[in-house]
Amino acid sequence: MGVIRFLCGHKGAVALVVLLLALKAACDLALPVFTSQIVDVGIAQSGVEDVEVLEGYKAAGVDLFPMQMAYLGRIGVVMLVVAAFAMIIDVAISFVASRTGASIGRDLRRRLFARVVAFSDAEINRFSAASLITRGTNDVVLIQNVCMMMLRMVLYAPILALGGVVMVMVTNPQLGWIVVVAVAATFAVIAVLFRLTLPRFKIMQKLIDRVNLVAREMLTGLPVVRAFNRDGYEEARFDDASARLMRTQLFTNRAMAFMMPAMMLIMNLTSVAIVWFGAGSVAAGSLQTGDLIAFITYAMVIIMGCLMMGMISIMLPRADVAAQRVNEILGTEPSVGDPQNPVGKGESGEARGARIAFEQVSFRYEDDSEPVLTDVSFTAEPGTTLAIVGSTGSGKSTIVKLIERFYDVNEGAVTVDGIDVRQWAQADLRAQLGYVPQKAFLFAGTVKSNIAYGDEMADTDDILAALAAAEALAFVEEREEGLAAPIAQGGTNVSGGQRQRLAMARALVRRPRAYLFDDSFSALDYATDAQVRAGLAAFAAGSTVIIVAQRISTVLTADRIVVLDEGRVVGTGTHAELMEVCPAYREIALSQLSEEELSCQEKGGAL
């Protein structure tokens, strides 16, 4: 099973637990022997009723009572010592098992997080964020708990059962068939339950993913839900997902609830059978009463071992499904990886600006989906500003994602300084780039920690300069805490425009060789847009700038504009050139501004 492989990395702990379990089993199996001696020697011999025998003891001056009490005392002390030793061993086993289980959980979370961080957007979309969170939390906890129970119970059960079988055969082999039948019945019950519940456990984990997905989507989009009065619809959608999970859980819980009564029935029937058939042996004198009691105890020990395995079977199928889901993540190789021999940091040239080129690039997000980009070619020269415009869905944002290598192209090549981005180490490539995403995201912390996220070595002066260039310094200084002003997760306590400007400052503080703005001016008013572009022109002098934008006013003064339509380049040139020769660009421009406004913008624009 998949859970077992996680224990293989802790062979030392497993070996120690097996040794301790063997000692504990020896102690547990020794106790019925002492019980048998107490009954057959300490109790039965004290009840001598033969008068002649008693007279013989008295004539010899022997008092049986003190002798019997002394014998019972010695056996009792030995039993207490053995029981205490078993308790100490059990505590040690619990300590080692708990520590090992916690270590397995820690290692799995670390490996999962490292793998997920290495995933490209393709893998994230394939598994979904909700499923990845479930696998890293709920599934790992299941595996951790079952590994701990396996060390404490599953390994102990066969040791105890095997020892019980040996003792049964030593005590009375003729009654061994009763134990065999009981064990067979126990495993039959477990097998039936496994067959019924294992498919349901697989479904259950997917339903948990679904519940998390619906809850996460509803909480993230709560303002939209309230704005459209869709509270009832979302509640019904969540109730449906929750009810489906409940029905599956009820089925598995009811099936597993049958196990304990079935096991107790088997144990009681076994006791009755042993007493029924053992009574004849006791009456015939071939079996002593103490041995019969010991035989019943050993039979219960064997059944208890099987019961332990049955109890773990409640969690094992679900944990095995969880292990498969975790292994699916760990076994998935990221589609975007580093080459074996990446180019060095300085091998691409020492120029301040980077030369970024698309060479007949074609790309689709899924193998069976429509192409997003088809035969796209253009070049952003060092130190220049290149703008990308086009209608919605034309592939503008995909351009930036391919430069950052969030995805790899299907055909053609994206190069930086003439070197295919697939030949770069991802860290070295992205160190050359300052990226501002379309949806600006800020982390929980402060203004300073968010800006320094772009460059952890940045000092206060660097941060203030980046904020000033992004026209964010004024509203930061207005806050009483200044750079220490708190930022909520996602930047929800600042406006959309402030969030975008802080995201720009985070990219600017790196002072990279190329800046990538993915429609990062959309939340700014026209005046602030112009001010930000003017500040960026001075701050980013010498660096390559690529701007994806919807507003024509944002790209008017770019050195070069690339026009996309349905994933194809339909025009390149300056604003004036495209207004003359590119109908698609002219249509976009005139849909936003009149010719007079375009003329004014062209004269007064910056960047």
Side-chain angles (χ1 to χ4, degrees):
M1 289 189 174
V3 179
I4 297 176
R5 63 180 295 185
F6 297 122
L7 288 170
C8 295
H10 301 267
K11 295 179 181 177
V14 173
L16 176 60
V17 168
V18 170
L19 176 61
L20 292 174
L21 288 174
L23 293 174
K24 183 174 183 296
C27 294
D28 291 341
L29 293 171
L31 292 176
V33 175
F34 296 128
T35 303
S36 175
Q37 292 177 350
I38 288 174
V39 173
D40 290 338
V41 179
I43 296 177
Q45 296 298 327
S46 64
V48 176
E49 297 178 357
D50 192 312
V51 177
E52 295 183 0
V53 173
L54 287 174
E55 290 297 331
Y57 278 121
K58 290 180 180 180
V62 177
D63 188 352
L64 291 178
F65 183 75
M67 294 176 61
Q68 298 303 120
M69 291 303 298
Y71 178 80
L72 290 174
R74 288 195 303 272
I75 296 297
V77 169
V78 173
M79 291 182 71
L80 287 175
V81 171
V82 172
F85 186 57
M87 181 193 71
I88 294 172
I89 294 175
D90 199 28
V91 171
I93 292 170
S94 299
F95 177 81
V96 176
S98 300
R99 186 178 180 85
T100 303
S103 297
I104 289 172
R106 177 202 61 200
D107 294 343
L108 278 179
R109 283 188 290 270
R110 180 190 298 142
R111 292 171 60 194
L112 275 172
F113 187 79
R115 180 52 58 92
V116 171
V117 168
F119 279 166
S120 70
D121 288 4
E123 285 78 42
I124 299 295
N125 294 333
R126 170 188 161 191
F127 289 108
S128 83
S131 179
L132 290 173
I133 292 172
T134 303
R135 297 178 198 226
T137 52
N138 184 67
D139 290 356
V140 170
V141 170
L142 276 173
I143 294 169
Q144 176 179 327
N145 290 339
V146 168
C147 285
M148 184 172 63
M149 293 180 69
M150 287 181 71
L151 290 174
R152 295 194 59 188
M153 297 174 62
V154 176
L155 292 179
Y156 184 55
I159 295 174
L160 191 65
L162 183 62
V165 169
V166 172
M167 298 304 293
V168 161
M169 301 308 293
V170 170
T171 305
N172 193 322
Q174 288 78 15
L175 297 179
W177 65 271
I178 300 175
V179 176
V180 173
V181 172
V183 170
T186 302
F187 278 110
V189 171
I190 295 174
V192 170
L193 290 177
F194 260 71
R195 186 165 183 90
L196 286 174
T197 58
L198 188 57
R200 299 283 181 155
F201 279 125
K202 293 181 180 179
I203 296 172
M204 187 187 301
Q205 295 304 105
K206 293 181 180 179
L207 292 177
I208 292 174
D209 284 349
R210 176 64 183 170
V211 169
N212 289 339
L213 176 65
V214 173
R216 184 172 180 269
E217 188 176 47
M218 182 175 63
L219 292 173
T220 303
L222 195 56
V224 178
V225 173
R226 289 172 175 169
F228 287 90
N229 291 323
R230 300 292 283 176
D231 306 61
Y233 170 78
E234 292 298 331
E235 288 176 6
R237 195 161 69 103
F238 182 81
D239 285 344
D240 177 66
S242 181
R244 291 173 63 189
L245 175 61
M246 179 199 69
R247 287 192 294 269
T248 305
Q249 288 177 329
L250 280 177
F251 178 86
T252 55
N253 290 341
R254 286 167 179 167
M256 289 304 179
F258 171 76
M259 185 188 68
M260 188 59 67
M263 293 294 183
M264 295 305 299
L265 177 63
I266 293 172
M267 291 179 67
N268 291 331
L269 289 177
T270 302
S271 299
V272 171
I274 292 173
V275 172
W276 180 273
F277 292 101
S281 299
V282 172
S286 60
L287 182 67
Q288 292 185 316
T289 304
D291 288 339
L292 179 61
I293 294 173
F295 188 89
I296 295 174
T297 304
Y298 287 130
M300 294 302 101
V301 164
I302 296 171
I303 302 299
M304 188 61 67
C306 298
L307 181 60
M308 287 181 185
M309 289 186 281
M311 291 175 64
I312 196 68
S313 70
I314 297 176
M315 295 185 66
L316 197 56
R318 188 176 174 188
D320 190 54
V321 173
Q324 293 174 16
R325 285 158 50 88
V326 169
N327 285 328
E328 186 181 9
I329 300 296
L330 297 177
T332 300
E333 291 297 328
S335 58
V336 175
D338 289 340
Q340 291 185 350
N341 298 305
V343 298
K345 294 182 181 180
E347 294 177 18
S348 60
E350 298 298 332
R352 174 61 189 153
R355 185 178 187 272
I356 300 174
F358 274 57
E359 301 173 359
Q360 297 179 317
V361 169
S362 295
F363 174 76
R364 65 184 73 213
Y365 284 104
E366 301 289 343
D367 292 338
D368 56 350
S369 64
E370 292 294 322
V372 179
L373 299 175
T374 303
D375 198 24
V376 172
S377 297
F378 63 82
T379 301
E381 297 294 344
T384 64
T385 298
L386 181 139
I388 301 172
V389 298
S391 58
T392 301
S394 59
K396 302 185 301 296
S397 295
T398 303
I399 295 285
V400 177
K401 292 178 180 178
L402 293 177
I403 297 172
E404 279 279 352
R405 211 180 164 215
F406 295 154
Y407 296 91
D408 276 339
V409 300
N410 300 124
E411 298 176 17
V414 179
T415 64
V416 175
D417 296 331
I419 301 174
D420 194 318
V421 293
R422 289 169 290 191
Q423 297 179 19
W424 287 77
Q426 294 178 74
D428 293 342
L429 171 66
R430 291 164 186 161
Q432 313 287 319
L433 308 172
Y435 173 58
V436 184
Q438 187 173 10
K439 295 181 179 179
F441 182 86
L442 301 179
F443 296 90
T446 64
V447 171
K448 184 175 183 179
S449 68
N450 271 277
I451 306 306
Y453 195 87
D455 181 7
E456 59 184 9
M457 302 303 294
D459 56 25
T460 302
D461 292 338
D462 295 330
I463 292 173
L464 292 174
L467 287 169
E471 290 296 321
L473 186 57
F475 76 77
V476 170
E477 290 181 336
E478 288 175 358
R479 305 186 70 167
E480 183 178 348
E481 304 93 337
L483 292 178
I487 297 294
Q489 183 181 16
T492 55
N493 61 335
V494 295
S495 69
Q498 291 173 339
R499 191 159 55 244
Q500 280 195 332
R501 281 178 280 169
L502 290 174
M504 290 180 189
R506 181 173 59 198
L508 292 172
V509 79
R510 304 184 73 176
R511 292 191 175 273
R513 300 178 61 226
Y515 292 94
L516 308 176
F517 296 98
D518 185 5
D519 200 13
S520 308
F521 300 86
S522 58
L524 306 181
D525 59 76
Y526 282 98
T528 305
D529 184 346
Q531 292 171 0
V532 171
R533 286 186 287 116
L536 290 176
F539 192 90
S543 297
T544 304
V545 178
I546 295 180
I547 301 175
V548 171
Q550 294 282 357
R551 289 179 183 171
I552 290 298
S553 60
T554 303
V555 304
L556 281 176
T557 56
D559 297 301
R560 190 173 181 83
I561 302 173
V562 175
V563 185
L564 291 178
D565 185 26
E566 295 185 354
R568 296 179 181 273
V569 176
V570 296
T572 59
T574 64
H575 166 70
E577 293 170 347
L578 290 171
M579 288 295 290
E580 293 291 333
V581 301
C582 183
Y585 180 81
R586 182 177 177 82
E587 181 181 351
I588 294 172
L590 292 177
S591 69
Q592 298 180 23
L593 301 169
S594 67
E595 292 191 12
E596 291 77 13
E597 289 172 325
L598 286 170
S599 178
C600 293
Q601 289 278 347
E602 195 172 349
K603 292 177 181 178
L607 196 66

